[in-house]
Amino acid sequence: MIIPRPRELAFLGGSVAFHPDLVRHAPPDASLGDEGYRLDVGPSGIRVTPGGRAGRFYGLQTLAQFGAAVPYGTIEDRPLFGWRGVMLDVARHFMPKTFLLRLIDLLAEHKLNILHLHLTDDQGWRLEIERYPRLTEVGGRRGGGPAPSGDEPRFYTREDVREIVAYAAERFVTIVPEIEMPGHAQAAIAAYPELGNHPSRRLEVWSGWGISEHVLNLEESTVAFCQNVLDEVMDLFPGPYVHVGGDECPPGEWERSPRALRRLSELGLAGPSEACRWFVGRMAEHLARHGRRTICWDEPDREPTPGTTVMVWREEDALPDRSDIILAPHTRTYLDYYSSDAPGQPPAQPGVVTLADAYGFTPDPGVRGVQCQLWTEYMPTPEQVEYMAFPRLCAFAEVAWGSPGDYPDFLRRLDPHLARLAARGVRVGPLIP
Ligand code: ACM
C-alpha cells in the first residue's frame, strides 16, 4: 500500500499510539519477497516482519504514514512490479543535487525504487566525464548568444554522483543513468564537433525545444567515444541498468552524407533507418561485456535491439506483447503534460494526463516495470517539478505498487496525504479530481 486504507486494517477495533519503542522487528520471512513485509498491530505493540532489507524499510514507511495512531490488525503487503520508476530530465533544465536528494526521499516514501536521470540531450550534458571535459564545459550550458556573467556550466561532478547514488541506495532507490544517443546529442556535438556528420561545422548547445536534426555520425571513432563515456558511467553508477536513449533520431543527416552512406554500406545495413538500431546494439554489446543491461526507448518503426530492455512510451493500445519491457505510456505517465484543460495553468507540454488518467493506468502485471516521466522543457525549477509531479505521482505510485482500488476511495485517502506533504513544504499542484 502507498497511502494506507485504515478502514481495511481496523477490523479488530482500536489502535495503538505510535512510538518507536513499540516496534519489534521479527526475523525475515523470505516468503514475503525481498520488498514485502507484514505488520501485526495489537494492544501489545507493533511487529514488523520483513521479507528482506527493502521490506523492512517499506514496512516502516507504512507505519510512518499512519501517523500517531496505528490501527489494530495485520497487513501483508508486497509490490506487483520490481521496477517502479520516475524519470527526471536534468538536461533541459538542470536540477541541483539538493533537489535530487529531496526527490529521492519523496520517491522512497511512495515506495518507488528507480530514479532514472535523463542526463544528456540536445540542450545539455550534465555529467562530468573525466576523459572528455568539454562535454560539461561546453555542454553544461545552453547556447543562444554570449552567456550572462555568472552563467557557469551546470552539471553533476563525480563526487556529486557518488553522494546521490549512496543516498539513494540507503533508501532502496537505484539510480539509472541515461546517456542519450545517437540522436538528442547536439550538446555533445557542440562540445566535440568530430562526433557530428559535418565535423567542420560549429554547433551550439541547442536553445530550442523539439528534436534536433543534428545526430552523431556512424564512425568507429564515435562508437569508441560513446563506449568510453559509458565506461565512466558504469564506474559511477553501480546499478545493473544503463539507458542509452535511442529515440527520435532523424535520419536526414545520414541520408545526405556521402560518408555516412558509404559507412552504412560497409556495415551491410539496408539504410539510414537501420543505423540507430545498429548504434544502440553496439552500446548494448559493450555494456553486456561489463555485465550491465541496456535500456532504450522504443521507436514505432524499429524492432527492438537484441539484448535490450525497452521502455515503451507509446500509446497504451500500441504496446508490444513482450514481458521484458518497462511501460511508460505517455497517455498515463507523462507528468509534464497538463493535469487538466483548465485555463490559467503554467505552461506545460501540450497534452493532458489527469489524476484520473494516472490512477486508471492498468499495466499488464507480466511486464518488468512501470515508470512515470518528468521532462523539464517547461519545468525550469525544482518548485515547478514538484508542482507537476504531485499529486499525480501519488496515483502512479499506487499503480506501480499494484494497490490501486476505487478512485473515489483514493481521492479520500489522498486528501490527508497531500496535506502531510504540503506541511513539509512539498509544492503540490492543484487537486483536480
Ligand atoms: C520520448 O518521449 N521521446 C521518450
Side-chain angles (χ1 to χ4, degrees):
M1 65 170 54
I2 302 298
I3 307 173
R5 296 182 177 85
R7 280 171 305 133
E8 273 178 24
L9 279 173
F11 55 86
L12 297 176
S15 63
V16 51
F18 181 75
H19 189 280
D21 290 350
L22 286 175
V23 179
R24 282 172 296 128
H25 292 281
D29 171 356
S31 73
L32 293 163
D34 182 52
E35 297 187 300
Y37 62 92
R38 185 168 54 240
L39 296 179
D40 295 292
V41 185
S44 61
I46 299 166
R47 187 171 65 219
V48 182
T49 308
R53 286 177 58 237
R56 184 181 306 283
F57 180 79
Y58 291 138
L60 295 176
Q61 295 297 319
T62 297
L63 279 178
Q65 276 158 352
F66 278 115
V70 186
Y72 293 168
T74 292
I75 165 178
E76 235 181 71
D77 194 22
R78 64 166 78 193
L80 181 57
F81 296 107
W83 178 298
R84 303 181 300 280
V86 174
M87 188 220 68
L88 179 66
D89 169 8
V90 292
R92 270 54 174 268
H93 281 107
F94 180 76
M95 296 292 153
K97 180 186 72 181
T98 47
F99 176 63
L100 295 195
L101 302 183
R102 172 183 169 97
L103 186 64
I104 288 164
D105 281 328
L106 287 165
L107 262 55
E109 202 172 309
H110 289 83
K111 302 190 178 83
L112 298 167
N113 65 354
I114 299 277
L115 176 59
H116 162 181
L117 292 177
H118 183 78
L119 290 161
T120 72
D121 211 298
D122 296 317
Q123 298 88 353
W125 184 289
R126 308 300 188 177
L127 176 67
E128 178 184 20
I129 300 293
E130 279 186 326
R131 186 166 178 161
Y132 303 118
R134 285 176 59 81
L135 286 172
T136 44
E137 283 166 16
V138 173
R141 182 167 60 193
R142 261 206 293 286
S149 61
D151 181 7
E152 291 297 315
R154 304 191 74 194
F155 60 91
Y156 306 108
T157 64
R158 295 170 61 83
E159 196 181 329
D160 290 335
V161 170
R162 294 199 196 285
E163 182 181 342
I164 293 162
V165 166
Y167 190 88
E170 284 167 14
R171 291 153 182 81
F172 300 92
V173 173
T174 299
I175 308 288
V176 174
E178 179 184 355
I179 305 294
E180 173 89 73
M181 59 184 89
H184 283 287
Q186 186 171 326
I189 302 169
Y192 292 96
E194 64 269 32
L195 299 174
N197 288 286
H198 301 279
S200 59
R201 185 175 53 199
R202 292 291 169 272
L203 293 173
E204 288 197 319
V205 179
W206 203 23
S207 53
W209 305 137
I211 305 169
S212 168
E213 64 179 303
H214 304 299
V215 304
L216 299 181
N217 66 38
L218 305 173
E219 300 300 326
E220 203 51 37
S221 54
T222 297
V223 169
F225 182 104
C226 292
Q227 292 178 341
N228 291 337
V229 167
L230 293 182
D231 286 345
E232 291 196 29
V233 168
M234 286 187 276
D235 179 45
L236 287 170
F237 297 90
Y241 302 99
V242 178
H243 199 310
V244 299
D247 60 317
E248 298 180 324
C249 183
E253 283 197 337
W254 296 331
E255 284 163 357
R256 292 188 298 273
S257 154
R259 175 63 206 146
L261 293 172
R262 209 162 53 242
R263 179 84 175 126
L264 286 168
S265 126
E266 280 164 26
L267 293 166
L269 298 174
S273 62
E274 287 192 4
C276 181
R277 183 166 183 265
W278 168 80
F279 202 103
V280 168
R282 292 295 304 273
M283 299 305 131
E285 285 161 19
H286 184 73
L287 291 166
R289 274 197 295 278
H290 293 83
R292 305 299 178 96
R293 180 91 187 159
T294 300
I295 308 210
C296 56
W297 297 106
D298 83 314
E299 278 296 291
D301 304 326
R302 195 173 81 213
E303 276 296 297
T305 306
T308 58
T309 295
V310 179
M311 193 168 266
V312 187
W313 59 284
R314 280 183 273 161
E315 318 286 329
E316 253 184 310
D317 57 7
L319 300 180
D321 183 18
R322 292 175 64 207
S323 58
D324 191 18
I325 55 177
I326 293 152
L327 297 181
H330 70 102
T331 48
R332 300 284 186 179
T333 68
Y334 272 35
L335 306 188
D336 55 323
Y337 287 7
Y338 287 98
S339 60
S340 79
D341 50 16
Q345 299 178 63
Q349 199 68 256
V352 176
V353 171
T354 64
L355 183 62
D357 292 334
Y359 200 68
F361 178 27
T362 50
D364 178 337
V367 302
R368 184 181 288 242
V370 291
Q371 184 166 291
C372 66
Q373 278 49 245
L374 291 158
W375 300 104
T376 56
E377 286 95 331
Y378 296 94
M379 301 182 208
T381 61
E383 288 76 11
Q384 189 63 16
V385 172
E386 287 184 4
Y387 177 91
M388 295 302 282
F390 294 97
R392 290 176 293 179
L393 185 141
C394 309
F396 170 77
E398 289 217 342
V399 170
W401 190 262
S403 56
D406 170 58
Y407 184 58
D409 173 57
F410 169 67
L411 293 177
R412 277 191 295 277
R413 289 180 292 118
L414 186 59
D415 232 22
H417 180 73
L418 294 182
R420 277 193 299 273
L421 290 178
R424 287 183 10 230
V426 178
R427 277 75 38 127
V428 176
L431 174 58
I432 303 170

